[in-house]
PDB file of all heavy atoms in Angstrom:
ATOM      1  N   SER C   4       2.208   2.271  -3.481  1.00 43.00           N
ATOM      2  CA  SER C   4       1.299   2.871  -4.447  1.00 43.00           C
ATOM      3  C   SER C   4       1.009   4.336  -4.129  1.00 43.00           C
ATOM      4  O   SER C   4       0.513   5.053  -4.976  1.00 43.00           O
ATOM      5  CB  SER C   4      -0.006   2.083  -4.510  1.00 43.00           C
ATOM      6  OG  SER C   4      -0.639   2.131  -3.253  1.00 43.00           O
ATOM      7  N   LEU C   5       1.298   4.791  -2.904  1.00 40.00           N
ATOM      8  CA  LEU C   5       1.007   6.181  -2.544  1.00 40.00           C
ATOM      9  C   LEU C   5       1.829   7.182  -3.334  1.00 40.00           C
ATOM     10  O   LEU C   5       1.281   8.166  -3.829  1.00 40.00           O
ATOM     11  CB  LEU C   5       1.203   6.386  -1.039  1.00 40.00           C
ATOM     12  CG  LEU C   5       0.119   5.771  -0.151  1.00 40.00           C
ATOM     13  CD1 LEU C   5       0.484   5.947   1.308  1.00 40.00           C
ATOM     14  CD2 LEU C   5      -1.218   6.391  -0.441  1.00 40.00           C
ATOM     15  N   PRO C   6       3.139   6.986  -3.562  1.00 43.00           N
ATOM     16  CA  PRO C   6       3.878   7.986  -4.336  1.00 43.00           C
ATOM     17  C   PRO C   6       3.386   8.082  -5.770  1.00 43.00           C
ATOM     18  O   PRO C   6       3.349   9.156  -6.335  1.00 43.00           O
ATOM     19  CB  PRO C   6       5.320   7.501  -4.288  1.00 43.00           C
ATOM     20  CG  PRO C   6       5.403   6.642  -3.095  1.00 43.00           C
ATOM     21  CD  PRO C   6       4.046   6.055  -2.916  1.00 43.00           C
ATOM     22  N   ARG C   7       2.965   6.980  -6.349  1.00 46.00           N
ATOM     23  CA  ARG C   7       2.458   7.038  -7.717  1.00 46.00           C
ATOM     24  C   ARG C   7       1.152   7.811  -7.757  1.00 46.00           C
ATOM     25  O   ARG C   7       0.908   8.570  -8.682  1.00 46.00           O
ATOM     26  CB  ARG C   7       2.235   5.628  -8.263  1.00 46.00           C
ATOM     27  CG  ARG C   7       3.456   5.112  -8.969  1.00 46.00           C
ATOM     28  CD  ARG C   7       3.132   3.908  -9.764  1.00 46.00           C
ATOM     29  NE  ARG C   7       3.128   2.748  -8.868  1.00 46.00           N
ATOM     30  CZ  ARG C   7       2.610   1.583  -9.139  1.00 46.00           C
ATOM     31  NH1 ARG C   7       2.019   1.389 -10.286  1.00 46.00           N
ATOM     32  NH2 ARG C   7       2.656   0.605  -8.290  1.00 46.00           N
ATOM     33  N   ALA C   8       0.302   7.583  -6.788  1.00 43.00           N
ATOM     34  CA  ALA C   8      -0.976   8.305  -6.754  1.00 43.00           C
ATOM     35  C   ALA C   8      -0.738   9.784  -6.534  1.00 43.00           C
ATOM     36  O   ALA C   8      -1.428  10.632  -7.085  1.00 43.00           O
ATOM     37  CB  ALA C   8      -1.866   7.738  -5.660  1.00 43.00           C
ATOM     38  N   ALA C   9       0.260  10.104  -5.754  1.00 44.00           N
ATOM     39  CA  ALA C   9       0.550  11.505  -5.497  1.00 44.00           C
ATOM     40  C   ALA C   9       1.146  12.186  -6.713  1.00 44.00           C
ATOM     41  O   ALA C   9       0.979  13.375  -6.912  1.00 44.00           O
ATOM     42  CB  ALA C   9       1.517  11.619  -4.321  1.00 44.00           C
ATOM     43  N   SER C  10       1.864  11.429  -7.572  1.00 46.00           N
ATOM     44  CA  SER C  10       2.488  12.051  -8.731  1.00 46.00           C
ATOM     45  C   SER C  10       1.480  12.342  -9.836  1.00 46.00           C
ATOM     46  O   SER C  10       1.826  12.941 -10.835  1.00 46.00           O
ATOM     47  CB  SER C  10       3.615  11.173  -9.268  1.00 46.00           C
ATOM     48  OG  SER C  10       3.052   9.966  -9.757  1.00 46.00           O
ATOM     49  N   GLY C  11       0.257  11.902  -9.718  1.00 46.00           N
ATOM     50  CA  GLY C  11      -0.771  12.259 -10.688  1.00 46.00           C
ATOM     51  C   GLY C  11      -1.172  11.144 -11.621  1.00 46.00           C
ATOM     52  O   GLY C  11      -2.074  11.317 -12.419  1.00 46.00           O
ATOM     53  N   SER C  12      -0.539   9.980 -11.553  1.00 45.00           N
ATOM     54  CA  SER C  12      -0.949   8.885 -12.424  1.00 45.00           C
ATOM     55  C   SER C  12      -2.158   8.203 -11.822  1.00 45.00           C
ATOM     56  O   SER C  12      -2.183   7.893 -10.643  1.00 45.00           O
ATOM     57  CB  SER C  12       0.195   7.892 -12.606  1.00 45.00           C
ATOM     58  OG  SER C  12       0.513   7.313 -11.364  1.00 45.00           O
ATOM     59  N   ALA C  13      -3.163   7.983 -12.643  1.00 45.00           N
ATOM     60  CA  ALA C  13      -4.404   7.392 -12.150  1.00 45.00           C
ATOM     61  C   ALA C  13      -4.232   5.894 -12.028  1.00 45.00           C
ATOM     62  O   ALA C  13      -3.753   5.255 -12.954  1.00 45.00           O
ATOM     63  CB  ALA C  13      -5.540   7.703 -13.114  1.00 45.00           C
TER      64      ALA C  13
END
Side-chain angles (χ1 to χ4, degrees):
S4 62
L5 287 176
R7 269 194 278 164
S10 65
S12 63

